[in-house]
Amino acid sequence: MSAQERLTDALYGAGWGTVRKLPEPVAVRLGRTIADLAWRQRGTGVLRLESNYARVVPDATPERLAELSRAGMRSYLRYWMESFRLPSWSRERIGDALDVKDLHHLTDGMAAGKGVILALPHLANWDLAGAWVTTKLGIPFTTVAERLKPETLYDRFVAYREGLGMEVLPHSGGSAFGTLARRLRDGGLVCLVADRDLSSSGVEVGFFGETARMPAGPALLAQQTGARLLPVTLWYDDPPVMHGRVHPPVEVPVSGTRADKTSVMTQALADAFATGIADHPEDWHMLQRLWLKDLDPARDPATDPEQDRKGTS
């Protein structure tokens, strides 16, 4: 393990071990202070966030983009402060922390017994939403996590999410898809963060007027298993409650090749994600390159952050 990896692991370990012990008002102020400091430093992540927001809000002035990126960093640090403290929250606290619109799309799908896939973008706090599903609804689910470096950091994320009632599979290794398919055929629930392709072999979609690439997994799983595919968007509003919406099912097209169907379904997911992101851009924590133009170094020399430290895919 390199010195940088040891430092990264130590910092995250300190967060989980220390922040959860702080009084909540202190933790909230700490998160906002760190967010504002990072925003003022105008590092790569903040600049990337503003560049992404410029696609979402194309008529925004530089001043408006700066306001959005500041709010975005505060939302991002709220995610972290909540996540560090979430394992110590009571079941009642978790149950009261999320208000979901159109939940019937999920509950009806689970009642049908054919499995449900929830696909989410990097909006607000999907870990909290997952804990709410396992705690408030009593529905266990399976998800996938990106393998982070150092390996000890990945292990921390897995232990954290498993402690919230999730089954966590590694993104790499090749066996995740088969396990997810089995869970769905057994009538289970699968939750996937699906607005950023980690494989470089995803599906090209139109997203805020430009081309991006998103993972094919949710659409392929729905086709292969007959599970219901549901987009979900989340947002922060008045603290301490987070809000969410379960969008109508993405249907499998009746005709076309497998690739054609996957393309149509993934575009439908992207459209649903775009709706939620446009309504609450400051809660979209996308500090990485997403659009194909930005992924081409010849067109954009900005350096991408080394890892998505949220460990999601």
Side-chain angles (χ1 to χ4, degrees):
M1 185 188 303
S2 69
Q4 180 62 43
E5 289 175 343
R6 286 195 297 271
L7 176 60
T8 298
D9 183 58
L11 289 173
Y12 280 88
W16 268 302
T18 303
V19 172
R20 76 174 62 179
K21 298 176 183 178
L22 295 174
E24 185 159 345
V26 176
V28 170
R29 288 196 299 271
L30 176 62
R32 179 161 291 199
T33 298
I34 295 171
D36 289 349
L37 177 62
W39 178 77
R40 285 194 296 269
Q41 290 179 339
R42 306 292 292 165
T44 300
V46 173
L47 296 178
R48 176 59 54 199
L49 189 64
E50 284 188 12
S51 175
N52 291 339
Y53 286 162
R55 266 61 173 254
V56 176
V57 189
D59 59 347
T61 63
E63 292 77 15
R64 173 58 177 151
L65 286 176
E67 291 174 358
L68 275 175
S69 66
R70 184 177 190 181
M73 291 304 295
R74 287 182 172 184
S75 178
Y76 183 57
L77 264 295
R78 175 175 171 176
Y79 164 91
W80 279 113
M81 293 297 110
E82 287 178 346
S83 295
F84 287 146
R85 297 171 61 80
L86 193 52
S88 62
W89 284 13
S90 67
R91 296 178 63 88
E92 291 74 20
R93 172 71 185 277
I94 293 172
D96 292 339
L98 177 61
D99 176 56
V100 181
K101 302 178 185 298
D102 299 326
L103 185 62
H104 64 92
H105 291 305
L106 170 57
T107 55
D108 291 351
M110 293 302 297
K114 294 184 178 181
V116 172
I117 306 157
L118 298 181
L120 306 87
H122 285 79
L123 273 169
N125 191 339
W126 49 96
D127 284 327
L128 174 56
W132 186 86
V133 168
T134 60
T135 301
K136 181 76 171 183
L137 302 184
I139 303 175
F141 67 86
T142 303
T143 189
V144 175
E146 177 187 0
R147 279 198 177 278
L148 299 175
K149 292 183 179 181
E151 194 74 14
T152 51
L153 179 58
Y154 171 77
D155 292 340
R156 287 183 188 274
F157 273 104
V158 170
Y160 158 65
R161 291 188 169 115
E162 288 180 342
L164 298 176
M166 312 174 193
E167 179 188 20
V168 183
L169 307 176
H171 181 269
S172 59
S175 63
F177 188 91
T179 302
L180 295 174
R182 287 193 294 273
R183 299 292 184 268
L184 292 168
R185 291 193 183 99
D186 290 339
L189 176 64
V190 164
C191 299
L192 301 170
V193 180
D195 59 342
R196 177 172 172 245
D197 179 52
L198 298 176
S199 67
S200 298
S201 60
V203 178
E204 291 189 4
V205 295
F207 196 55
F208 291 103
E210 294 187 30
T211 303
R213 189 181 291 117
M214 295 186 181
L220 290 173
L221 283 167
Q223 292 176 60
Q224 185 165 315
T225 67
R228 181 178 293 196
L229 176 55
L230 299 173
V232 176
T233 53
L234 304 168
W235 66 94
Y236 289 129
D237 205 340
D238 295 327
V241 178
M242 183 173 71
H243 298 268
R245 178 189 175 196
V246 183
H247 296 252
V250 173
E251 304 291 346
V252 178
V254 296
S255 62
T257 65
R258 185 183 187 189
D260 290 340
K261 293 178 180 180
T262 301
S263 178
V264 170
M265 295 172 72
T266 306
Q267 182 64 62
L269 284 179
D271 292 343
F273 294 166
T275 298
I277 293 167
D279 287 343
H280 303 277
E282 68 279 3
D283 291 325
W284 189 41
H285 307 155
M286 186 56 65
L287 280 73
Q288 295 78 27
R289 294 172 176 160
L290 182 70
W291 282 272
L292 298 192
K293 285 184 179 180
D294 294 341
L295 292 168
D296 181 354
R299 297 183 182 181
D300 187 346
T303 302
D304 198 20
E306 180 183 354
Q307 291 286 351
D308 177 357
R309 291 302 183 187
K310 289 183 181 180
T312 53
S313 58

